[in-house]
Amino acid sequence: MDVATYGQTGHHRYLIHALLTPSLLSCAFVTLEPQLACAQAIAQGTPLSTVNLEKSEKFSLPAQPLPEAINAFLSQTGWQISYPSSLAQGKMSSPVSGVMPPSQALRTLLSSTGLRARIISTNAAALMADPTNTAAYTPDGAIALGPVSVRGASESAWGPVQGFVAKRSATATKTDTSLVETPQTINVITAEEMERLKPKRLADALRYTPGVVSGVQPSTTYFDRIRIRGFYSINNIYQDGLQLTPSGTLAVAQVDPYFLERVELLKGPASVLYGQNGSGGLINMVTKRPTGETFQSGRINIGAYNLYEGNVDVGGTLRDRHFAYRIEAIARKAGLKGDYGTPERFALAPSLKWTPTQKTSLTVMVNLQIDPQGNSSGYLPSVGTILPNVNGRFRRYIYTCDRSYCDYNRKQASFGYDFHQKIIENLEFRQNTRLMYVDTNTHTLSPGSLLADQKTISRTAMYQTATTEGIEVDSNLAYRYALGPIHNSIVAGFDYRIFSSDNMTSQGTSAALNLDLNHPTYGNLTIPTLITRSDNTLIQEQYGVYAQDQIAFRKWRLLAGLRQDWARTKTDNYLTNSDSPQKDHAFTGRVGLRRVVS
């Protein structure tokens, strides 16, 4: 019966609604393009089961070996495809070009292979021999099947995490290991969690992590002053498994959390794999990398304390799909509580991943960052904050510097790559390298002692400039094998790092710089003559060899490692024309045991 004719009577209208409502609801939960298909089908009385509700995508897949073509299709669409591996051996795919639904693209890809796809669900399919292709059948008509492989997206220790809870990490072992099998505590802050927290620096991202004090000096914008289990961590901050910059210099690098896939906190000693580190733990930031998927995102944020921020994140693949790229950028200007200044940041982070074969990958990462404005307010005296003061308690957020004099400027750039080469099935070579450059200069008024009136502090005018240059390389071999029920994962490698820092500080003080904390006034400063107090070059060099074995036996996981380090530190003092070299070496071991509870 024609729907339009049937709907002319009043009581039949309810029946029409009952018939159409499920169809309309099924259309409401798909994107615009399938909704138009649904609407047209309903208007024409076409059964929805015959309507293609897939969203079309732009495909550009060249003819290539079938396993590689399937991998490229999976990377773009996120589908899951199961098939006997023997079916794909020695077959070449057909080229796919144009805008079409993924199912149509898959059929086109298989058109010259003698295979066909059976669609299991909206984003899953199984490959099988085409019945019309007699070459795929045995003489008796039975299909010869080999091992079935299922390919799909899964979490990697260096990749994105779905949600707040990560399941894998490489920080403690330098291998892609499940967290529940690692006999050391690791806290992971994922990109999705950071998206909710909106951190502006590393310390903000670790704000809710147990065992961490991140608000040591919250008014400081250019240092991440963090305590892990009571120990300072300036020297223990790593990015992609390599030390960011050493302490002992003003020229310390800082990575914006927007560029991070995850922040991992390894608690306890970590010297076996990384060399000299503090006892509290180690922070490792994992950089966002190309995913092989095509996406574009951008955002503009406006918030409290005159926050203005814009960011973009764009990714995709190049024409032959062996290259995947990602480009991220951020621009930010924000105020701080009180009159602490208006820190600014402009940063760009392009990256490119090259996968010529399934056994080889090279990811190149670049970071360019300028912080033309930053600030740091000094500490207030204990008398008037936590101790009694005859004038009463000082108000919070008193700015002890002066915007007419105090400023901070940092420029930093890094270039690095991550190379993986599978030599044989269970043996892989990996190399991680980064070059770092940081240049900073700052004018500041450093607060001194509280005077006898218990409301005035002395201040010292300071000018500091510093430059840090460094290179780091970590190379290792990873080998997996089994001896009966005992499974081993061995990592052996060599790492090297050297940083050179030039530092110069000039300072001077006078009564004209004193500040009344109860009634602070700013501007019209008379800066005394500054005298150079330090001028030196600091060289820090370290290299070491390490070996580690991860043993799995039933529900037990044993982690054992050894390392030998050699270190050299040299300070050239240009004021005294002297140098102070120092050489050290150390042998380190680590053993951990954990029982996995299923």
Side-chain angles (χ1 to χ4, degrees):
M1 178 177 293
D2 186 76
V3 172
T5 305
Y6 197 85
Q8 289 177 357
T9 61
H11 68 280
H12 290 155
R13 232 182 352 256
Y14 297 103
L15 181 57
I16 295 172
H17 289 171
L19 292 172
L20 292 184
T21 297
S23 300
L24 293 173
L25 287 176
S26 66
C27 292
F29 291 98
V30 294
T31 53
L32 179 60
E33 182 179 342
Q35 285 179 4
L36 295 176
C38 283
Q40 184 178 4
I42 294 170
Q44 296 175 354
T46 305
L48 286 181
S49 59
T50 64
V51 180
N52 189 348
L53 300 182
E54 295 180 84
K55 181 179 179 180
S56 296
E57 299 183 32
K58 183 178 180 180
F59 290 88
S60 180
L61 305 179
Q64 55 188 309
L66 184 57
E68 297 182 21
I70 293 175
N71 287 338
F73 177 85
L74 295 176
S75 298
Q76 178 170 343
T77 62
W79 276 41
Q80 293 185 347
I81 297 179
S82 61
Y83 62 94
S85 57
S86 59
L87 287 183
Q89 298 301 321
K91 292 182 172 62
M92 293 291 293
S93 70
S94 298
V96 183
S97 179
V99 178
M100 65 190 76
S103 60
Q104 180 182 343
L106 182 58
R107 287 192 294 269
T108 304
L109 184 148
L110 298 172
S111 59
S112 62
T113 64
L115 306 179
R116 67 182 180 88
R118 182 170 65 87
I119 306 301
I120 300 174
S121 64
T122 55
N123 62 348
L127 303 189
M128 58 187 65
D130 191 335
T132 61
N133 180 21
T134 57
Y137 282 76
T138 58
D140 60 358
I143 302 176
L145 296 179
V148 176
S149 61
V150 180
R151 299 174 180 266
S154 61
E155 181 183 330
S156 163
W158 300 277
V161 179
Q162 298 296 325
F164 283 23
V165 181
K167 297 180 180 179
R168 311 189 68 82
S169 171
T171 297
T173 61
K174 291 192 177 180
T175 63
D176 191 345
T177 304
S178 170
L179 289 174
V180 299
E181 298 185 7
T182 305
Q184 197 163 352
T185 301
I186 305 173
N187 297 112
V188 181
I189 298 89
T190 66
E192 186 168 335
E193 183 175 354
M194 287 188 281
E195 173 65 23
R196 302 289 182 89
L197 294 174
K198 297 292 190 298
K200 300 300 180 287
R201 54 180 184 159
L202 177 63
D204 297 334
L206 294 168
R207 184 181 304 161
Y208 301 106
T209 306
V212 174
V213 178
S214 60
V216 178
Q217 192 175 354
S219 61
T220 300
T221 62
Y222 49 87
F223 285 133
D224 287 303
R225 296 192 181 275
I226 302 168
R227 283 198 188 107
I228 305 173
R229 292 183 172 177
F231 296 88
Y232 272 114
S233 62
I234 294 178
N235 203 46
N236 298 2
I237 298 177
Y238 284 64
Q239 181 182 12
D240 298 322
L242 300 174
Q243 188 180 36
L244 192 60
T245 42
S247 60
T249 173
L250 179 69
V252 175
Q254 191 179 54
V255 179
D256 197 281
Y258 180 72
F259 299 137
L260 302 179
E261 196 68 74
R262 52 170 79 187
V263 176
E264 302 188 346
L265 173 62
L266 174 64
K267 294 180 180 176
S271 297
V272 166
L273 293 181
Y274 298 97
Q276 182 182 9
N277 274 284
S279 301
L282 177 147
I283 300 169
N284 183 38
M285 301 176 289
V286 180
T287 308
K288 291 178 180 177
R289 307 181 183 203
T291 63
E293 299 178 357
T294 300
F295 60 89
Q296 303 89 26
S297 67
R299 180 176 299 172
I300 296 177
N301 298 323
I302 300 176
Y305 303 107
N306 297 317
L307 169 66
Y308 300 96
E309 177 183 277
N311 53 58
V312 295
D313 188 2
V314 178
T317 57
L318 300 182
R319 187 166 185 175
D320 64 359
R321 299 192 63 82
H322 290 304
F323 290 91
Y325 67 89
R326 188 168 191 166
I327 301 175
E328 304 163 272
I330 188 169
R332 180 190 302 127
K333 180 176 182 180
L336 297 172
K337 292 181 180 179
D339 193 17
Y340 292 157
T342 55
E344 298 177 351
R345 171 167 293 172
F346 305 94
L348 176 68
S351 55
L352 180 68
K353 183 177 183 179
W354 178 43
T355 52
T357 68
Q358 291 182 336
K359 296 183 177 181
T360 306
S361 71
L362 175 66
T363 304
V364 178
M365 294 166 282
V366 178
N367 184 283
L368 305 173
Q369 182 172 305
I370 300 176
D371 297 326
Q373 287 291 335
N375 225 327
S376 174
S377 180
Y379 298 103
L380 295 177
S382 58
V383 176
T385 52
I386 61 175
L387 298 177
N389 187 301
V390 296
N391 302 295
R393 186 179 297 273
F394 297 128
R395 66 179 179 86
R396 300 178 66 186
Y397 310 122
I398 297 177
Y399 187 45
T400 58
C401 209
D402 195 304
R403 296 182 66 179
S404 66
Y405 177 76
C406 299
D407 60 23
Y408 174 83
N409 183 283
R410 171 172 55 200
K411 302 179 182 69
Q412 72 180 50
S414 67
F415 171 85
Y417 66 82
D418 186 7
F419 176 72
H420 288 234
Q421 175 65 55
K422 183 175 289 187
I423 301 173
I424 58 178
E425 181 62 27
N426 297 322
L427 179 64
E428 185 178 34
F429 172 75
R430 297 174 297 189
Q431 187 174 78
N432 197 9
T433 302
R434 182 168 62 241
L435 287 78
M436 175 64 72
Y437 173 82
V438 185
D439 178 77
T440 62
N441 60 80
T442 179
H443 292 86
T444 187
L445 295 172
S446 177
S449 59
L450 185 66
L451 303 186
D453 62 3
Q454 294 193 6
K455 65 177 182 178
T456 304
I457 60 169
S458 61
R459 293 186 296 181
T460 299
M462 301 179 64
Y463 171 69
Q464 295 175 282
T465 180
T467 301
T468 296
E469 300 173 321
I471 182 172
E472 302 171 80
V473 182
D474 181 16
S475 305
N476 61 61
L477 285 169
Y479 180 61
R480 299 176 183 270
Y481 69 96
L483 294 174
I486 302 176
H487 297 266
N488 293 263
S489 179
I490 295 178
V491 175
F494 169 83
D495 58 27
Y496 173 82
R497 65 177 179 244
I498 182 170
F499 288 96
S500 176
S501 302
D502 297 320
N503 305 274
M504 192 274 286
T505 301
S506 300
Q507 61 185 49
T509 187
S510 68
L513 298 179
N514 293 349
L515 179 68
D516 185 341
L517 295 179
N518 285 336
H519 303 285
T521 57
Y522 304 105
N524 300 319
L525 291 174
T526 301
I527 304 299
T529 301
L530 304 185
I531 301 174
T532 302
R533 298 298 184 185
S534 65
D535 187 5
N536 61 67
T537 296
L538 175 64
I539 299 175
Q540 298 172 283
E541 183 180 23
Q542 173 186 295
Y543 55 95
V545 291
Y546 58 88
Q548 174 188 270
D549 190 7
Q550 296 172 252
I551 302 173
F553 176 68
R554 295 180 180 174
K555 292 188 177 182
W556 293 96
R557 301 295 182 267
L558 175 66
L559 179 67
L562 299 173
R563 181 185 179 95
Q564 177 65 49
D565 270 309
W566 297 267
R568 179 177 68 95
T569 304
K570 181 182 178 183
T571 302
D572 293 322
N573 191 325
Y574 301 119
L575 295 182
T576 61
N577 292 321
S578 62
D579 60 71
S580 54
Q582 180 178 341
K583 292 184 178 181
D584 298 283
H585 61 87
F587 182 78
T588 309
R590 176 178 66 166
V591 176
L593 181 66
R594 169 170 288 187
R595 185 176 186 273
V596 178
V597 180
S598 58

